[in-house]
Amino acid sequence: ALDAVHRSAAERGHAVWQCAVLRTCTRPVDTILSIMGLFGVTLDPAAFDVDDRRSATIALAQGILQAGGNASWLGAGFRLPPDRGLSTFPTFPIPSRSGAAFVHVEGTIQAVSDIIGQPVRVDIECPLPRCRSMTDSGHLHMNARAALVRPAEKADLVLGPVDEALDGTQWVFCGESALS
């Protein structure tokens, strides 16, 4: 189990990222520059074009990891599709003067708040993956435990427990022997 200080920092970071997913600015880079101080990271605003949220996001993530922080952004917008250029983050909202965040999902524009609903409290007792660094192109280097799973078949539903993914698909854990 994590000690209370690390758990509190991870929960706080996760909540900040969830709030960032729910908002937008007319200058997309401002959604990242406005939260950098909450992570103890300083970025040079002049280093980014006003529309370049992706580069600022990568720079902030790199700064967090370099300072010994964790990848608290993982899962912050798990109900949103992943960003096509930065897959450990959800798709970025469309800039809006209203402050409300909207995203393109399956050919339609939807409010982020309608998709993700209430913020989700992450279970910090299950630690985030140990992330070493992020490349300049946004690839995250991490170490994490993994489990081999396969799609559940009809017989599995009778024989034993299955796990259900967020999209409703069902999966069966293959066991430790399948990992060797």
Side-chain angles (χ1 to χ4, degrees), residues 32-106:
I32 298 304
L33 297 177
S34 67
I35 65 172
M36 67 180 172
L38 297 172
F39 293 101
V41 174
T42 302
L43 302 175
D44 178 8
F48 309 101
D49 183 84
V50 297
D51 293 320
D52 191 4
R53 181 175 175 168
R54 183 170 288 114
S55 293
T57 302
I58 292 170
L60 179 56
Q62 289 173 326
I64 291 168
L65 296 174
Q66 287 170 355
N70 61 36
S72 58
W73 63 84
L74 293 173
F78 71 90
R79 291 185 180 110
L80 294 170
D83 183 77
R84 290 180 184 250
L86 192 54
S87 63
T88 61
F89 285 87
T91 189
F92 294 137
I94 301 164
S96 163
R97 289 190 185 276
S98 72
F102 297 91
V103 292
H104 291 280
V105 177
E106 298 175 4

Side-chain angles (χ1 to χ4, degrees), residues 28-173:
V29 72
D30 287 345
T31 56
I32 298 304
L33 297 177
S34 67
I35 65 172
M36 67 180 172
L38 297 172
F39 293 101
V41 174
T42 302
L43 302 175
D44 178 8
F48 309 101
D49 183 84
V50 297
D51 293 320
D52 191 4
R53 181 175 175 168
R54 183 170 288 114
S55 293
T57 302
I58 292 170
L60 179 56
Q62 289 173 326
I64 291 168
L65 296 174
Q66 287 170 355
N70 61 36
S72 58
W73 63 84
L74 293 173
F78 71 90
R79 291 185 180 110
L80 294 170
D83 183 77
R84 290 180 184 250
L86 192 54
S87 63
T88 61
F89 285 87
T91 189
F92 294 137
I94 301 164
S96 163
R97 289 190 185 276
S98 72
F102 297 91
V103 292
H104 291 280
V105 177
E106 298 175 4
T108 64
I109 296 178
Q110 297 180 23
V112 171
S113 59
D114 290 345
I115 298 169
I116 68 170
Q118 294 296 316
V120 175
R121 185 176 183 277
V122 67
D123 181 6
I124 299 298
E125 287 300 320
C126 177
L128 292 165
R130 182 81 180 125
C131 299
R132 297 187 320 253
S133 63
M134 179 176 276
T135 66
D136 290 340
S137 58
H139 295 96
L140 188 61
H141 295 171
M142 70 173 130
N143 295 328
R145 293 189 59 115
L148 185 61
V149 296
R150 64 172 171 75
E153 299 170 355
K154 287 182 182 182
D156 295 317
L157 302 176
V158 174
L159 294 175
V162 297
D163 289 307
E164 189 169 316
L166 291 173
D167 65 0
T169 57
Q170 296 181 323
W171 298 85
V172 175
F173 175 65

